[in-house]
Amino acid sequence: MSFTTDITEELLQLPIKKTCCRKALLLGILCACRTDAEGGMTAYFYHENVANLTEFLLKKVFNCDALLNKTVRAGRKTWVLSFRSSGVSAFLEQLDGGCDQAAHMAVGFRCPACRIAFLRGVFYGTATVTDPRKGYHAEMIFPTEGRANFVSNFLTDIIAKPIRVKRGERHGCAYKCNSSISDLLYYIGCSGTSFDVANVCIERDIRNQENRATNCVTRNISHSVAASLRHREAIEKLIATRRIDTLPKELRQTAALRMEYESASLQELALLHEPPISKSGLNRRLSKLMEAAGETSTDKA
């Protein structure tokens, strides 16, 4: 099953008992339905239980008989619901015409739970959510721009302003932020999956921090090894030409320690001196050795 299907299964376990909330849920679902030139309406579902719920609510709320058929679209099992309803048609016309206030009145929103039910219905009818282990993306796609505008304003008020997207002739709203997706799922009642999304985000952040730390350590080690190699090559040149004997005592001490402890970091090498010196002091000595050998040092780590 897809991640969206898992969310739908969780939401379907939540009962809606109030008549006003049932109407809000139904109208949310039907935001995705299409209307033909003769006034007939068609809604497509990839989840059989959502299709059955919509058919039941149409009869219960609008006393509307619907025809439910099973087919295959783009290789997926699809349930097609065909019906006629003046109440649903009037609501969709208000959405398509940009009459937000009239649409709010048509839905009702008679109790706080109505807003939750409406958005849950929109999710049933239009939403897809990517598995957070693969990426953060949730979107709701509508047949008309007016419906997308209405839901976008609705989401802005209760979650966050969504990104507007377009899929061919269809319009939609999307979230690409894990916190907004988690808030959306929690708001419509999918608390279990909401926490899962948040936990996945935390896990990914921890892994990313670990990877950054590992990469940083690897880069530092590589830099240290390369610097040590350049230092030793310069010192070997000084030894081969006997110029090492003409250098001050402290430089000869540093050269000897560098040759003996080739894998030591600069901090470790500085502490091996007798008496110990600072890291900046060691850098100055190594630079002088490089200069004496005719090399240029830019190593400061």
Side-chain angles (χ1 to χ4, degrees):
M1 291 192 298
S2 69
F3 190 69
T4 306
T5 302
D6 291 340
I7 297 172
T8 301
E9 292 284 1
E10 182 177 345
L11 291 174
L12 286 170
Q13 304 304 313
L14 304 176
I16 294 183
K17 298 179 180 179
K18 291 184 178 180
T19 301
C20 58
C21 294
R22 287 183 172 183
K23 180 182 179 182
L25 177 71
L26 174 63
L27 293 179
I29 295 172
L30 296 178
C31 282
C33 78
R34 301 172 182 272
T35 305
D36 60 32
E38 298 178 355
M41 285 171 277
T42 305
Y44 299 91
F45 303 96
Y46 295 119
H47 197 293
E48 183 178 11
N49 289 338
V50 175
N52 291 332
L53 174 63
T54 306
E55 182 184 22
F56 168 78
L57 290 176
L58 275 169
K59 182 65 176 179
K60 197 77 173 177
V61 176
F62 291 107
N63 194 29
C64 171
D65 292 319
L67 178 63
L68 182 62
N69 291 312
K70 182 179 177 181
T71 185
V72 176
R73 297 178 74 210
R76 295 182 64 181
K77 291 181 181 179
T78 306
W79 286 264
V80 184
L81 191 68
S82 304
F83 63 96
R84 291 176 181 272
S85 168
S86 58
V88 175
S89 180
F91 169 69
L92 295 180
E93 286 176 4
Q94 290 163 354
L95 287 185
D96 295 340
C99 302
D100 280 18
Q101 187 60 41
H104 274 276
M105 293 177 63
V107 176
F109 295 137
R110 297 183 180 178
C111 72
C114 284
R115 296 170 67 85
I116 299 172
F118 176 77
L119 192 53
R120 188 183 300 167
V122 172
F123 185 94
Y124 283 151
T126 69
T128 56
V129 183
T130 301
D131 188 326
R133 293 167 183 81
K134 300 177 181 177
Y136 301 130
H137 188 87
E139 67 178 31
M140 303 177 185
I141 302 298
F142 306 90
T144 67
E145 187 174 9
R147 300 179 204 181
N149 290 338
F150 179 80
V151 174
S152 177
N153 294 335
F154 195 85
L155 289 169
T156 300
D157 289 341
I158 58 178
I159 306 295
K161 185 177 178 61
I163 301 168
R164 295 302 300 272
V165 296
K166 192 172 182 184
R167 302 283 183 258
E169 297 298 319
R170 299 181 299 164
H171 300 261
C173 313
Y175 287 122
K176 296 186 178 182
C177 170
N178 73 293
S179 60
S180 296
I181 296 172
S182 181
D183 289 346
L184 169 64
L185 296 178
Y186 186 81
Y187 182 81
I188 62 177
C190 200
S191 56
T193 306
S194 171
F195 290 133
D196 288 343
V197 171
N199 287 336
V200 168
C201 176
I202 293 171
E203 291 171 3
R204 290 182 66 175
D205 286 345
I206 291 173
R207 285 198 299 271
N208 288 338
Q209 290 174 5
E210 290 175 345
N211 289 337
R212 283 193 293 269
T214 300
N215 292 338
C216 181
V217 170
T218 301
R219 284 194 299 270
N220 288 340
I221 291 174
S222 298
H223 180 77
S224 179
V225 170
S228 174
L229 179 61
R230 290 194 296 273
H231 296 154
R232 288 184 286 110
E233 287 177 346
I235 294 168
E236 287 173 352
K237 184 185 294 186
L238 291 172
I239 293 173
T241 59
R242 297 184 179 277
R243 280 180 287 168
I244 192 73
D245 298 330
T246 65
L247 297 178
K249 179 181 178 181
E250 63 271 13
L251 294 185
R252 295 199 305 272
Q253 180 192 25
T254 296
L257 288 171
R258 177 75 285 180
M259 295 301 288
E260 182 178 358
Y261 299 99
E262 59 183 55
S263 62
S265 67
L266 294 186
Q267 184 66 46
E268 293 168 340
L269 194 62
L271 296 176
L272 288 171
H273 284 69
E274 189 62 44
I277 61 176
S278 66
K279 185 178 176 181
S280 60
L282 175 62
N283 263 318
R284 285 193 295 271
R285 292 190 184 187
L286 290 170
S287 294
K288 289 180 180 180
L289 288 169
M290 298 285 284
E291 289 171 6
E295 305 288 344
T296 300
S297 174
T298 57
D299 300 310
K300 301 296 181 184

